[in-house]
């Protein structure tokens, strides 16, 4: 036998990650994390593009083989947190780039039963990528690198991303960005982060991508505007209260100093403001718990950015028309006008009631007129089926229907058909004394008299 060929570590880990036994896969994930940390710590170390593609091939099938939702969530969190094991920003971006390339390549082969866990994996990887950006203080250079990576691999028309990957990424971007940095990102930073979506919305020839960006990014900003303004007002009120409390504390401190100088040192009473204040660490904890979950935007700046992109000569007409609708809404928000103010109150109570009320009014006007002759005879022999009612309406050809309770043999007010009572035997004999109506005479022409 010849010497056994030693496989590279990446291929060995990929084979174990795609193993049939869950114990083998879990052990391979832990070894992979240690291997990444050890290799990226060296100056001459690091991974190549092909090596990380092999690693992600194994991680993809590790997720493929995992059953049970809770275990899938735990595994997805473990895989997505591998990005923090890389020691350099370039290695992290290469790891994220190979992940999206792997998803684009393997997406057509995913069946519908496994779609949910890979949707979840994409959400978690995007969350950890934004978290890594947060750890570096939202640096402008690294932010631009990450946005360029995501645009090239997912949003750009020349990318190989399927529609499912693009649609899901557009849908979850603002949600994950709000979870990570809503409490610390400014309006200018948020505008920079949605910059690629403005560019793609103005340039793309794909109507599906345009619709998803308009709905998932810009319409979401408009819908969240009341919440964002409310949270901004709450923050301003909290700042005013904190300033008032600080001024009160300074006044009390000055009074205590004056008392100490006057040899009147005494402890503050139990009900004083100083005792009512919680410790500093508790205040910080409360602020973290009640952190904002809505992103703040300068609506005028967003509208100006969109107008700049939509007003170019190379912008397709359908893109310009769709973006101008969003721009008008953003300009109205910048002026303090909300789109919901134009909708009448009745539309929220019964959105379908308007048409039904109008139809009832039209029918009530026609039912007040009584019909005679052939139409009354048709109503006498009518049945209760809706098909026959429609046929009678067609035959009448626009004629007015008789009132239901004046129709002989027709329906009553409640709509139930009346049963015609037949006269019993001998009824005519009892009513012999009654005067019978005279029979109508036939009119003859004057020439025959």
């Amino acid at each position: 036998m010849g010497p056994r060929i030693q496989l590279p570590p990446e291929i060995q880990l990929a084979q174990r990650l795609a193993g049939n036994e869950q114990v083998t896969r879990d052990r391979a994930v832990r070894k992979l994390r240690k291997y990444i940390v050890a290799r990226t710590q060296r100056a001459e170390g690091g991974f190549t593009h092909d090596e990380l593609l092999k690693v992600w091939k194994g991680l993809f099938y590790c997720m493929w083989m995992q059953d049970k939702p809770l275990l899938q969530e735990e595994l997805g969190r473990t895989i997505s947190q591998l990005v923090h094991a890389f020691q350099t920003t370039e290695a992290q971006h290469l790891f994220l780039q190979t992940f999206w390339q792997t998803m684009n390549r393997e997406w057509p082969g995913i069946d519908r039963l496994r779609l949910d866990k890979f949707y979840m994996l994409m959400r978690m990887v995007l969350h950890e990528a934004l978290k890594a950006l947060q750890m570096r203080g939202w640096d402008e250079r690294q932010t631009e690198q990450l946005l360029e990576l995501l645009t090239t691999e997912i949003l750009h028309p020349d990318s190989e991303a399927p529609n499912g990957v693009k649609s899901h990424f557009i849908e979850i971007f603002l949600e994950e960005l709000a979870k990570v940095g809503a409490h610390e990102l400014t309006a200018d930073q948020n505008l920079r982060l949605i910059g690629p979506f403005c560019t793609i919305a103005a340039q793309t020839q794909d109507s599906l991508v345009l619709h998803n960006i308009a709905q998932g990014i810009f319409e979401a900003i408009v819908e969240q505007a009341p919440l964002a303004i409310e949270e901004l007002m709450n923050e301003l009120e909290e700042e005013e209260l904190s300033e008032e409390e600080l001024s009160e504390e300074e006044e009390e401190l000055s009074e205590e100093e004056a008392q100490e100088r006057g040899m009147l040192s005494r402890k503050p009473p139990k009900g004083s403001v100083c005792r009512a204040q919680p410790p500093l660490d508790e205040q910080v904890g409360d602020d973290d718990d009640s952190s904002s979950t809505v992103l703040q935007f300068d609506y005028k700046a967003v509208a100006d950015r969109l107008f700049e992109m939509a007003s170019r000569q190379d912008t397709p007409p359908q893109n310009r028309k769709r973006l101008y609708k969003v721009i008008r809404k953003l300009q109205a928000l910048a002026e303090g006008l909300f789109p919901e103010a134009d909708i009448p109150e009745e539309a929220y109570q019964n959105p379908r009631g308007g048409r039904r009320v109008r139809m009832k009014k039209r029918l009530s006007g026609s039912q007040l007129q009584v019909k005679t002759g052939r139409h009354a005879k048709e109503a006498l022999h009518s049945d209760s089926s809706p098909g026959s009612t429609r046929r009678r309406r067609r035959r009448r050809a626009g004629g007015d229907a008789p009132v239901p309770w004046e129709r002989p043999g027709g329906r009553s007010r409640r709509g139930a058909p009346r049963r015609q009572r037949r006269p019993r035997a001998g009824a005519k004999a009892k009513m012999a004394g009654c005067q019978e109506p005279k029979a109508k005479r036939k009119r003859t022409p004057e020439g025959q008299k």
Side-chain angles (χ1 to χ4, degrees), residues 88-104:
T88 60
T89 308
E90 292 76 11
Q92 287 181 347
H93 289 173
L94 186 60
F95 182 73
L96 295 172
Q97 181 184 9
T98 50
F99 164 71
W100 291 109
Q101 290 176 355
T102 303
M103 293 303 301
N104 295 341

Side-chain angles (χ1 to χ4, degrees), residues 22-39:
Q22 183 177 351
V23 179
T24 306
R25 297 195 300 269
D26 295 343
R27 193 178 302 165
V29 172
R30 291 192 297 267
K31 286 186 178 181
L32 175 62
R33 185 178 186 86
K34 295 178 182 178
Y35 178 66
I36 291 172
V37 173
R39 183 165 176 177

Side-chain angles (χ1 to χ4, degrees), residues 307-321:
F307 183 78
E308 179 186 357
M309 303 303 299
S311 59
R312 293 182 178 178
Q313 295 182 355
D314 57 347
T315 302
Q318 64 271 14
N319 298 32
R320 185 182 294 111
K321 183 179 179 181

Side-chain angles (χ1 to χ4, degrees), residues 40-103:
T40 54
Q41 282 179 349
R42 296 176 294 178
E44 66 278 0
F47 290 90
T48 63
H49 184 267
D50 294 337
E51 290 173 348
L52 286 179
L53 281 177
K54 295 173 184 176
V55 170
W56 268 116
K57 183 90 170 182
L59 290 172
F60 178 84
Y61 284 102
C62 182
M63 193 70 179
W64 180 285
M65 299 291 291
Q66 185 62 59
D67 295 329
K68 300 178 181 179
L70 293 178
L71 296 178
Q72 292 170 2
E73 185 177 353
E74 182 181 358
L75 178 61
R77 190 178 297 108
T78 303
I79 292 175
S80 61
Q81 289 176 354
L82 288 175
V83 69
H84 303 297
F86 292 87
Q87 305 300 316
T88 60
T89 308
E90 292 76 11
Q92 287 181 347
H93 289 173
L94 186 60
F95 182 73
L96 295 172
Q97 181 184 9
T98 50
F99 164 71
W100 291 109
Q101 290 176 355
T102 303
M103 293 303 301

Side-chain angles (χ1 to χ4, degrees), residues 329-378:
K329 293 181 181 180
L330 292 171
Q331 289 175 348
L333 286 175
E335 296 174 359
L337 302 175
F338 292 94
E340 289 79 6
D342 299 335
I343 302 175
E345 186 179 357
E346 293 80 3
Y348 292 103
Q349 298 176 358
N350 187 8
R352 298 184 179 179
R355 185 178 178 185
R356 293 184 179 180
V357 170
R358 289 195 297 270
M359 291 297 293
K360 287 181 180 178
K361 289 181 180 178
R362 293 175 187 173
L363 292 177
S364 61
S366 61
Q367 287 176 353
L368 291 176
Q369 300 179 2
V370 183
K371 298 178 63 179
T372 57
R374 182 174 57 86
H375 301 297
K377 189 179 294 184
E378 289 179 1

Side-chain angles (χ1 to χ4, degrees), residues 168-185:
H168 188 62
F169 172 76
I170 295 169
E171 180 183 357
I172 66 177
F173 183 80
L174 281 185
E175 297 177 5
E176 299 306 316
L177 184 61
K179 292 177 185 177
V180 175
H183 59 283
E184 58 187 15
L185 285 172

